[in-house]
Amino acid sequence: MTAERSNDEAAPDVLTVTSVIDSRAHKVIDSELCAPHAVRSGRYEALCGHLVAPAPLIDADGAPCARCVQLDPTPVAPPARRRRRRGLRRLLPV
């Protein structure tokens, strides 16, 4: 998923996929997920060059791959402002 990244039209969508081989969360460009060779083999090339055999999507992400983080072409989005909801805090006990 593209968490903490901006949706710039020029930048490709980058998804995080955890590999069952090394249990690391690698960055994969969305076009790689649809590439014919990847669809047939079920393995996707990460930004760092690692061939990712994806872990089940219900598993938590592994530790991030440092090389993929360095090579991620999408710009970091500014932190989102969090809206405070006060109405429910008054009605519901903590």
Side-chain angles (χ1 to χ4, degrees):
M1 290 182 220
T2 55
E4 298 177 11
R5 298 292 173 174
S6 68
N7 291 334
D8 184 13
E9 292 295 325
D13 285 335
V14 177
L15 303 154
T16 303
V17 180
T18 300
S19 173
V20 295
I21 297 170
D22 65 356
S23 299
R24 294 220 175 258
H26 291 276
K27 304 279 185 168
V28 178
I29 295 176
D30 64 342
S31 60
E32 175 68 17
L33 296 173
C34 301
H37 66 278
V39 172
R40 282 192 303 272
S41 68
R43 295 177 191 241
Y44 311 101
E45 186 175 357
L47 294 176
C48 67
H50 180 80
L51 273 180
V52 177
L57 297 177
I58 59 169
D59 288 349
D61 281 346
C65 170
R67 185 71 178 139
C68 284
V69 171
Q70 285 178 336
L71 296 171
D72 191 350
T74 55
V76 177
R81 294 188 68 190
R82 220 174 139 185
R83 290 178 49 192
R84 295 182 72 172
R85 294 185 181 189
R86 297 181 187 200
L88 290 177
R89 288 185 186 253
R90 286 184 289 190
L91 297 173
L92 301 174
V94 178

